[in-house]
């Protein structure tokens, strides 16, 4: 079975304000007062970014400025922490990446875990990012990922579809 997610995660209030600037964005409530915006190709196009997580402050190479997507995340993070998360799994192996912006700067990551790499003791990149923005593991749940409900859909497209 596969799982694929590209999303922004923050408080419902923050993402509601952010989504008002991006007509293609849809805010989907999660548990613990959080929400996500599925990062679809339409959202990426609207933000004029290429969708690649880059090193904090430096872009993909020396002297490369941040793209429009990163600049928008930095601006939104002045009103509250916001995480950019990506996951791709198929047949038991996969990757995760995550970064968190707070007060206009990247404060966590980008963190990456590669295919078939064991999760570090401090948790997967997405769980660490969720923890940084205030999520907590609930009793009976494996981690923050499960606690906020990120297993509800198997794809970014599933999150982007209107609820029935």
């Amino acid at each position: 079975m596969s799982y694929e997610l590209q999303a922004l995660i923050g408080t419902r209030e923050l993402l509601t304000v952010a989504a008002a600037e991006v007509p293609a964005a849809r805010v989907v409530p999660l548990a613990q007062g959080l929400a996500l915006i599925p990062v679809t190709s339409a959202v990426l196009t609207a933000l004029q970014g290429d969708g690649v997580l880059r090193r904090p402050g430096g872009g993909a190479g020396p002297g490369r400025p941040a793209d429009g997507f990163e600049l928008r995340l930095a601006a939104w993070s002045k009103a509250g922490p916001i995480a950019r998360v990506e996951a791709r799994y198929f047949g038991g192996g996969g990757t995760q990446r995550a970064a968190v912006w707070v007060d206009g700067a990247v404060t966590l990551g980008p963190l990456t875990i590669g295919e078939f790499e064991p999760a570090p003791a401090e948790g997967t990149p997405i769980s660490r990012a969720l923890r940084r923005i205030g999520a907590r593991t609930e009793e009976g749940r494996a981690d923050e990922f499960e606690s906020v409900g990120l297993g509800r859909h198997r794809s970014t497209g599933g999150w982007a579809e209107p609820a029935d």
Side-chain angles (χ1 to χ4, degrees):
M1 206 184 290
S2 66
Y3 181 89
E4 176 267 327
L5 176 66
Q6 292 189 60
L8 302 177
I9 302 176
T11 65
R12 290 180 194 156
E13 296 79 14
L14 173 63
L15 294 188
T16 299
V17 171
E21 297 178 21
V22 183
R26 177 175 184 271
V27 178
V28 182
L30 296 171
Q32 301 185 21
L34 298 176
L36 69 73
I37 293 175
V39 179
T40 62
S41 59
V43 170
L44 281 174
T45 298
L47 294 171
Q48 300 177 2
D50 60 13
V52 176
L53 284 178
R54 303 196 189 285
R55 292 191 316 266
R64 180 171 175 162
D67 63 20
F69 193 87
E70 291 175 319
L71 295 173
R72 190 74 62 100
L73 290 175
W76 290 335
S77 76
K78 291 178 182 177
I82 189 167
R84 168 103 189 266
V85 302
E86 298 179 9
R88 285 187 175 72
Y89 286 90
F90 184 80
T95 60
Q96 277 192 25
R97 295 191 298 174
V100 176
W101 283 256
V102 177
D103 292 326
V106 175
T107 61
L108 179 70
L111 304 172
T112 301
I113 188 169
E115 193 165 6
F116 300 112
E117 278 185 52
E122 60 271 13
T124 64
I126 293 176
S127 285
R128 289 177 64 191
L130 289 169
R131 196 174 314 131
R132 181 66 65 96
I133 65 172
R136 297 292 172 249
T137 301
E138 294 176 340
E139 188 172 335
R141 304 287 185 170
D143 57 15
E144 294 83 2
F145 184 102
E146 186 179 335
S147 293
V148 301
L150 287 179
R152 188 168 52 195
H153 296 286
R154 307 287 307 164
S155 70
T156 300
W159 288 100
E161 294 296 317
D164 293 335

